[in-house]
Amino acid sequence: QVQLVESGGGLVQAGGSLRLSCAVSGRTYTTYIMAWFRQGPGKEREFVASIRWFGGNRYYTDSVKGRFTISRDNAKNTLYLQMNTLKPEDTAVYYCAATPSGTLATRTAHTHYDYWGQGTQVTVSS
């Protein structure tokens, strides 16, 4: 199984940056897809970005393209989300997630993911 623990959230002004981290433990296979989701107040959990645990492809939702970058450090067993030019609408609890199979483009619903972290709050003030 896989255990995920997020960190790095906080309060930032609009236009600022944050980097979220997700510590990954347990068994991660070649086919695993790692993702970031977020859930704003009164909203459903939405896909942000994904990357294969082994591999270079990345996939982003349109609203964060050019501002957010997903990456991972296999040696440190850590997934990252670098968030730049933050906007108030980025305010949400951010979750790290993992699924053992599929393609990046087809794994964008939260129901596709089997493993979740506890979430970290990101608040962007205007």
Side-chain angles (χ1 to χ4, degrees):
Q1 308 311 324
V2 177
Q3 294 80 43
L4 307 170
V5 179
E6 303 95 334
S7 61
L11 173 64
V12 64
Q13 287 188 332
S17 298
L18 279 176
R19 188 177 78 160
L20 305 183
S21 299
C22 174
V24 181
S25 59
R27 302 190 70 177
T28 50
Y29 298 98
T30 304
T31 57
Y32 266 69
I33 294 173
M34 309 298 296
W36 289 96
F37 282 77
R38 65 186 180 185
Q39 189 165 14
K43 298 181 180 179
E44 293 193 0
R45 194 167 298 189
E46 66 170 348
F47 172 83
V48 175
S50 62
I51 187 172
R52 286 203 176 275
W53 190 240
F54 295 99
N57 291 341
R58 294 163 173 80
Y59 193 76
Y60 298 94
T61 192
D62 287 345
S63 62
V64 308
K65 285 180 180 177
R67 299 190 298 123
F68 291 10
T69 301
I70 188 171
S71 62
R72 56 133 173 61
D73 186 329
N74 295 96
K76 295 182 178 180
N77 287 332
T78 303
L79 178 73
Y80 301 101
L81 185 68
Q82 177 67 44
M83 305 185 293
N84 298 328
T85 319
L86 282 161
K87 304 176 182 180
E89 51 263 44
D90 294 318
T91 294
V93 177
Y94 283 71
Y95 297 90
C96 175
T99 182
S101 63
T103 65
L104 297 184
T106 63
R107 291 295 183 265
T108 59
H110 65 86
T111 52
H112 293 148
Y113 287 78
D114 301 295
Y115 305 103
W116 292 88
Q118 83 288 351
T120 186
Q121 176 71 47
V122 172
T123 302
V124 184
S125 63
S126 58

